[in-house]
Amino acid sequence: MVLTGNFQGKNLECTKPELEQLYYSPRANSVRHYYQNESEGRVEFTGDVLPAHTLPYDGLNGCEWGKWRDDLVAAARASGVEPDSYRHVVISVPWRPGCRAGQAGDGHYAIIYFCNHLQTIVHEVGHNFGFAHAKKAGIEYGDKTSSMGAGVGP
């Protein structure tokens, strides 16, 4: 599932149909295609993209991704959708100064600040699948052949 959010004065740059294509289309250059290809058909990546909810603040008080996640989850629940019924939930909000491109941490939620950057999405969803960073010679992100490093990915 993809929960999308806007901040006051800053909207997400991708539309719901664009996100549906990017995440769930069987075409090349989608998250679904990437994981099906890399897993030799063992991983199916399907879900829903919810319409954007505008958060009641501008998001400029630092990277409060836990707060943003909690507020978007509450908005989804208020609209009758239970995010916890999905195995993986991606939060997609506009990038804010000081934030990284994305972040994951608990195996269920990931946050993406650049909604159309497939490499970042695949990397953060990879963390939700339990993948660690791909190191090479002890360097974090050092493996340039892996989406979990600084690699080419999709």
Side-chain angles (χ1 to χ4, degrees):
M1 158 186 263
V2 181
L3 295 178
T4 58
N6 297 317
F7 295 113
Q8 288 182 348
K10 182 70 174 173
N11 290 339
L12 198 60
E13 296 173 1
C14 299
T15 66
K16 183 178 184 286
E18 289 169 337
L19 290 170
E20 288 167 339
Q21 286 291 310
L22 180 63
Y23 280 85
Y24 304 120
S25 170
R27 68 175 170 81
N29 295 325
S30 74
V31 177
R32 176 183 178 191
H33 181 268
Y34 176 80
Y35 279 111
Q36 282 187 321
N37 187 55
E38 292 299 306
S39 70
E40 298 178 344
R42 292 186 296 266
V43 173
E44 179 66 32
F45 197 81
T46 62
D48 300 299
V49 177
L50 291 188
H53 172 78
T54 299
L55 297 166
Y57 39 81
D58 62 16
L60 293 173
N61 292 328
C63 294
E64 301 178 295
W65 92 274
K67 175 181 176 38
W68 304 337
R69 175 201 60 217
D70 292 348
D71 290 347
L72 289 170
V73 166
R77 288 180 176 143
S79 74
V81 177
E82 177 50 63
D84 288 341
S85 69
Y86 292 81
R87 185 168 182 170
H88 301 287
V89 178
V90 175
I91 308 291
S92 189
V93 294
W95 179 81
R96 305 315 283 153
C99 294
R100 297 180 283 188
Q103 171 173 342
D106 68 0
H108 183 65
Y109 290 99
I111 189 162
I112 305 296
Y113 300 107
F114 296 100
C115 60
N116 58 357
H117 194 253
L118 185 59
Q119 169 66 25
T120 301
I121 296 166
V122 165
H123 177 93
E124 299 306 338
V125 169
H127 286 307
N128 277 2
F129 285 139
F131 304 149
H133 289 145
K135 298 179 183 181
K136 185 172 184 181
I139 299 170
E140 191 85 2
Y141 302 105
D143 184 350
K144 296 186 183 333
T145 65
S146 170
S147 65
M148 294 310 292
V152 293

